[in-house]
């Protein structure tokens, strides 16, 4: 076989693969979702549920595509771990979009590193975990809900209204160390709450379980976590007070900048879902308290000065 013939066959094979990928892309929408964030997205065996999953299904329906979910595992914390993991999955073409993503300037655009390893994902092999992927530029969709910190109390111990951080005064406060909630409460009014705070270790201590047991009176926690706790413990004494801290994050999907046309179509689908009230209905169906996005769509990176009371 001549070099020219081999080149011709290779080119034809590449064209066929690209053609197949293009046809698949037109007929499906592949979305990466975290496999273990109760009420947002959850996948165990053949069971799958969550608000992000319902939103992805609704978007795919409006785009007249079949939804394919690529489940993956990573921490929910809004830090560089999720940013890099999301970029790696998208850049490796594991999915077209990744759901449940925080709309923060520092998590979007070009990454600080050029190459990264893939996180664990459903169907991945040991070789996949060792591979390094060249990263692209992340582009957000329109947000479809907002992640907020809410004041939660042990209702058996606290009956007074909590409408501001000032109402934490005199209460025993429990908080996970090293979190945004910890920074907010430790620095409030030059450390006024410091002597009232008990610090717990994230992912080891049971924050809401300890609150339930009476170890402290109040905490500041992501509202999704409280909703998930209530879903597991319907007879709980814990109550969300209605107070939500002003610092929060809009949440949406993210893709590569090279998928701008798809992202524009998804934006229109999300807008339609929002206008028809379907986002709130989907959240209610899974037991999640729906908080609508608010301007600006993309938040600035948080600085210590932002924690000061306003």
């Amino acid at each position: 076989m001549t070099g020219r013939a081999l080149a011709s066959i290779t080119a034809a094979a590449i064209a066929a693969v690209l053609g197949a990928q293009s046809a698949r892309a037109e007929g499906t929408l592949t979305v990466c979702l975290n496999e273990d964030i109760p009420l947002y997205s959850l996948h165990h065996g053949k069971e799958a549920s969550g608000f992000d999953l319902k939103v992805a299904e609704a978007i795919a329906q409006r785009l007249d595509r079949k939804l394919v979910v690529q489940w993956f595992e990573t921490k929910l914390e809004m830090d560089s771990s999720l940013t890099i993991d999301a970029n790696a999955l998208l850049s490796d073409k594991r999915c077209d979009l990744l759901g449940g993503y925080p709309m923060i300037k520092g998590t979007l655009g070009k990454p600080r590193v050029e190459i990264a390893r893939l996180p664990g994902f459903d169907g991945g092999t040991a070789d996949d975990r060792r591979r390094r992927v060249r990263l692209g530029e992340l582009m957000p969709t329109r947000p479809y809900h907002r992640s907020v910190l809410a004041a939660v109390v042990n209702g058996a111990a606290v009956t007074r209204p909590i409408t501001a951080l000032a109402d934490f005064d005199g209460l025993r406060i429990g908080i996970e160390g090293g979190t945004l909630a910890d920074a907010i409460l430790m620095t409030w009014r030059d450390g006024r709450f410091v002597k009232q705070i008990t610090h717990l270790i994230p992912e080891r201590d049971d924050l809401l379980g300890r609150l339930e047991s009476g170890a402290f009176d109040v905490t500041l926690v992501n509202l999704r976590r409280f909703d998930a706790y209530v879903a597991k413990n319907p007879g709980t004494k814990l109550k969300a007070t209605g107070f939500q801290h002003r610092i929060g994050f809009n949440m949406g999907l993210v893709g590569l900048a090279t998928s701008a046309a798809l992202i524009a179509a998804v934006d229109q689908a999300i807008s339609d879902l929002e206008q028809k009230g379907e986002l709130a209905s989907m959240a209610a169906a899974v037991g999640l308290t729906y908080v609508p996005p608010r301007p600006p769509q993309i938040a600035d990176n948080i600085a210590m000065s932002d924690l000061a009371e306003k």
Side-chain angles (χ1 to χ4, degrees), residues 82-263:
L82 176 57
T83 303
I84 297 302
D85 287 350
N87 200 319
L89 288 164
L90 291 162
S91 297
D92 198 49
K93 303 189 187 309
R94 293 289 143 189
C95 45
D96 304 308
L97 300 167
L98 182 138
Y101 196 83
M103 306 284 100
I104 307 171
K105 286 182 180 178
T107 69
L108 299 167
K110 294 182 180 180
R112 294 181 179 179
V113 297
E114 294 184 357
I115 298 173
R117 287 195 175 116
L118 289 159
F121 61 88
D122 195 23
T125 65
D127 287 340
D128 287 320
R129 292 301 298 265
R130 287 191 291 266
R131 276 194 304 112
R132 291 183 178 273
V133 179
R134 184 165 295 280
L135 304 181
E137 180 179 351
L138 294 182
M139 181 175 180
T141 67
R142 179 187 183 96
Y144 53 84
H145 77 115
R146 186 171 179 82
S147 174
V148 298
L149 292 171
V152 175
V153 299
N154 183 319
V158 180
T159 57
R160 73 192 198 200
I162 304 291
T163 61
L165 286 182
D167 296 325
F168 282 36
D169 199 19
L171 299 177
R172 296 172 300 158
I173 303 169
I175 203 70
E176 291 175 330
T179 61
L180 174 60
D182 180 30
I184 290 169
L185 292 172
M186 287 291 289
T187 58
W188 191 78
R189 291 190 179 175
D190 298 322
R192 180 169 172 175
F193 292 150
V194 168
K195 293 183 179 180
Q196 297 172 223
I197 292 176
T198 297
H199 282 101
L200 282 71
I201 300 175
E203 299 184 10
R204 193 190 76 176
D205 294 325
D206 181 3
L207 175 67
L208 295 177
R210 292 282 299 279
L211 178 61
E212 181 92 60
S213 71
F216 36 87
D217 303 315
V218 63
T219 190
L220 192 63
V221 67
N222 188 282
L223 185 55
R224 173 204 64 85
R225 285 182 59 185
F226 171 70
D227 288 338
Y229 183 86
V230 171
K232 278 191 172 184
N233 304 274
T236 179
K237 300 187 295 290
L238 302 190
K239 295 181 179 180
T241 63
F243 170 73
Q244 297 173 0
H245 196 272
R246 59 181 172 78
I247 296 178
F249 304 97
N250 291 337
M251 305 288 285
L253 297 104
V254 68
L256 295 179
T258 51
S259 300
L262 171 62
I263 290 171

